[in-house]
Amino acid sequence: MPEGHTLHRLAAHFTKHYGGARVRVTSPQGRFADGARRIDGRTLLGAEAHGKQLFCAFDSGEWLRVHLGLYGAWTFGDADGERHLGAPRAAGGERRELARDAEGFVAPPPPVGQVRVRIASASGWADLRGPSACEVVSEEEKLAVQARLGPDPLRGDADPERARRVVAASRTSIAALLMRQDVVAGIGNIYRAESLFRAGIDPYRPGRAVTRAEWDALWADLAGLLRDGVRDGQIVTTRPEHRADPDAYPVARPDTLYVCYRTGEPCRVCGTPVAQAALAARTLYWCPTCQAA
């Protein structure tokens, strides 16, 4: 499932390439036909992300809300060429020369697969496939969705103290708490495991046993890692001194992560085999030595 940095990259892309443009909205698959009619022909003002939720604003006062889930992804054909953002798919390619219809909207290529939403402007197009949620909502409904989410470290309005109060009062493990979107929005399995490793925190430690200093450092580190992800388009959590080539950037796998997907391999810091276990319906990775209880 795409983590928070990907949604913020999507929001920035929509704002840059479609913000202020009148758009044609359709549903080739048909499942979003009613929603598409509500925003077809409107101006897309811009987009924002909150955790793993994407919100595209329209001049009607309504919003397109999208949660990609495990399988959702956007395909774009615009000034950045044809490419994909979301669940892993084929790499993008060069920009195509596209025809336009009588109203000036680009004519995208025939839809491939189950395209839930197609957005076309005068300069590009975007296709959405496989989201877990896709709907047109009012301003009040959007705010209600956001009210149920925890603070997003990438947003300027984030309140880390709100998340800390939940964590400090909970007997639940910090690893499980970090996966709850109502505690911290945008954190997925990779950022969860990697941030706890970098902090040296046992993933099974109860939230209430995490000190204030540890929480403040963990929040700051998560915010920094997410900002790096937005900038680079990839998750890199290893520090230069723990990579085979400290000067290489962007970092190539397998040097990007400390513990995720490295079960049984030696810890990059102490050499202890990386452990794994099921926690909060996902696979947890950690170093039993660097993150000792």
Side-chain angles (χ1 to χ4, degrees), residues 1 4 7-8 48-55 65-67 133 141-153 155 157-160 162-163 165-166 177-187 219:
M1 178 184 296
L7 277 299
H8 281 268
E48 64 178 87
H50 189 141
K52 299 180 181 182
Q53 307 267 346
L54 174 71
F55 299 95
R65 180 183 80 89
V66 173
H67 189 301
E141 290 169 324
K142 169 187 178 281
L143 293 175
V145 170
Q146 291 182 280
R148 295 193 293 269
L149 297 172
D152 177 343
R155 289 179 62 95
D157 59 2
D159 178 11
R162 174 185 166 191
R165 286 194 297 268
V166 176
L177 289 168
L178 286 179
M179 290 290 283
R180 281 177 44 185
Q181 296 303 296
D182 63 337
V183 178
V184 182
I187 305 305
W219 176 273

Side-chain angles (χ1 to χ4, degrees), residues 132-244:
S132 64
C134 175
E135 61 177 344
V136 176
V137 297
S138 67
E139 175 77 14
E140 293 75 18
E141 290 169 324
K142 169 187 178 281
L143 293 175
V145 170
Q146 291 182 280
R148 295 193 293 269
L149 297 172
D152 177 343
L154 284 171
R155 289 179 62 95
D157 59 2
D159 178 11
E161 185 62 20
R162 174 185 166 191
R164 191 198 73 82
R165 286 194 297 268
V166 176
V167 170
S170 180
R171 294 184 174 88
T172 301
S173 70
I174 184 62
L177 289 168
L178 286 179
M179 290 290 283
R180 281 177 44 185
Q181 296 303 296
D182 63 337
V183 178
V184 182
I187 305 305
N189 202 38
I190 299 177
Y191 282 120
R192 182 255 302 258
E194 296 293 305
S195 63
L196 290 175
F197 174 86
R198 286 166 60 99
I201 296 175
D202 178 356
Y204 289 98
R205 190 192 303 181
R208 65 181 186 174
V210 175
T211 69
R212 177 59 183 261
E214 287 175 323
W215 171 258
D216 289 344
L218 182 62
W219 176 273
D221 195 45
L222 278 169
L225 290 173
L226 284 160
R227 285 194 296 269
D228 290 346
V230 173
R231 179 194 65 208
D232 302 328
Q234 66 174 144
I235 300 177
V236 177
T237 64
T238 50
R239 298 179 173 95
E241 61 267 28
H242 298 140
R243 301 173 194 151

Side-chain angles (χ1 to χ4, degrees), residues 32-47:
F32 186 66
D34 290 342
R37 280 192 288 269
R38 288 172 61 179
I39 53 178
D40 181 37
R42 311 298 310 201
T43 296
L44 197 162
L45 302 176

Side-chain angles (χ1 to χ4, degrees), residues 52-81:
K52 299 180 181 182
Q53 307 267 346
L54 174 71
F55 299 95
C56 293
F58 288 85
D59 63 351
S60 61
E62 295 182 303
W63 297 77
L64 171 63
R65 180 183 80 89
V66 173
H67 189 301
L68 293 177
L70 287 173
Y71 307 109
W74 286 95
T75 300
F76 293 96
D78 49 40
D80 283 353

